[in-house]
């Protein structure tokens, strides 16, 4: 689903679950619009930019984001914004599942307990981070190069990759992610999101981070 080895032209691959599969936590219409309109928009704009930049066409999203800082200013911002938008949305969508354990599993669970004291404490801190984002952005759980876990936030479509952190989980807190169902109640949305976090996927990402 992540298709993070993909290069130009990027395609909007289907989600690994139906749009209504996360009901009642995340509603069908929000999922449909989020995937078919918002993510599609980032993909279309990114392809539109890369169409005129053959030297960027062989790069994956992660490579584009890493290369962006060396690009001329007029290209840097649109590449970051749109490659970031594709990366962040795919990471968010593939981090949810209708069929997932309710709590973290395996090594990630052990690490969460080690770094935050307990899953409950982690949940509390993660939720505070998600609510602290002013305007649009994301809250993330990342693994640092030394092995520790860290909660952070990014504005707009920035990613933690630039800070040398390996993402394990993210929640999209742009209003379009929850406005239809929760209007301005972001906390209610974050609580619902916790019901559908794919802890198996998070564990895979965490284990993958250990080898890098
Ligand atoms: Mn979004």
């Amino acid at each position: 689903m992540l298709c993070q080895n993909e290069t130009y032209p990027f395609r909007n691959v289907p989600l690994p679950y139906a749009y209504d599969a996360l009901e009642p936590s995340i509603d069908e219409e929000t999922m449909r619009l989020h995937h078919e309109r918002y993510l599609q928009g980032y993909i279309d704009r990114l392809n539109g930019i890369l169409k005129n930049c053959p030297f960027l066409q062989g790069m994956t999203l992660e490579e584009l984001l890493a290369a962006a800082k060396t690009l001329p200013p007029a290209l840097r911002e649109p590449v970051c914004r749109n490659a970031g938008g594709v990366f962040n949305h795919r990471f968010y969508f593939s981090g949810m599942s209708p069929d997932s354990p309710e709590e973290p599993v395996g090594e990630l669970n052990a690490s969460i307990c080690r770094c935050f004291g307990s899953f409950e404490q982690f949940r509390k801190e993660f939720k505070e981070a998600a609510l602290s984002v002013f305007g649009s952005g994301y809250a993330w759980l990342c693994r640092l190069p030394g092995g520790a876990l860290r909660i952070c936030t990014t504005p707009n479509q920035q990613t933690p990759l630039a800070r040398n952190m390996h993402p394990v989980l993210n929640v999209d807190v742009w209003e379009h992610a929850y406005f239809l169902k929760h209007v301005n109640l972001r906390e209610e949305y974050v609580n619902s999101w916790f019901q559908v976090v794919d802890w198996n996927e998070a564990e895979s990402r965490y284990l993958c981070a250990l080898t890098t």
Side-chain angles (χ1 to χ4, degrees), residues 175-212:
E175 274 194 347
H176 65 238
Y178 60 90
F179 188 83
L180 283 184
K181 180 168 178 184
H182 302 287
V183 192
N184 62 340
L185 300 180
R186 187 189 288 179
E187 182 172 5
E188 209 176 85
Y189 157 68
V190 175
N191 287 336
S192 295
W193 170 80
F194 262 113
Q195 305 294 315
V196 291
V197 169
D198 187 346
W199 290 111
N200 290 322
E201 172 65 15
E203 164 76 349
S204 303
R205 293 165 174 176
Y206 177 75
L207 293 177
C208 183
L210 291 177
T211 63
T212 56

Side-chain angles (χ1 to χ4, degrees), residues 51-64:
K51 190 173 172 209
N52 304 314
C53 302
F55 62 103
L56 297 176
Q57 290 178 359
M59 293 186 186
T60 65
L61 293 170
E62 290 197 43
E63 288 166 345
L64 284 167

Side-chain angles (χ1 to χ4, degrees), residues 34 37-43 45 61 65 68 76-93 133-140 153-163 170-177:
H34 208 165
R37 302 279 191 92
Y38 289 93
L39 174 54
Q40 184 72 54
Y42 283 104
I43 289 174
R45 287 189 294 274
L61 293 170
L65 289 165
R76 190 183 306 147
E77 189 56 33
V79 167
C80 276
R81 195 179 294 162
N82 292 291
V86 180
F87 180 91
N88 291 345
H89 277 107
R90 285 183 170 175
F91 204 81
Y92 167 70
F93 288 135
V133 176
F134 182 72
S136 299
Y138 293 78
W140 302 79
T153 64
T154 55
N156 301 315
Q157 294 299 354
Q158 290 181 27
T159 81
L161 298 171
R163 300 187 214 159
N170 70 345
V171 62
D172 184 340
V173 295
W174 286 58
E175 274 194 347
H176 65 238

Side-chain angles (χ1 to χ4, degrees), residues 96-115:
M96 298 187 287
S97 166
D99 178 30
S100 167
E102 287 179 11
E103 297 194 358
V105 296
E107 296 288 316
L108 176 61
N109 184 45
S111 190
I112 284 176
C113 291
R114 204 163 49 238
C115 295

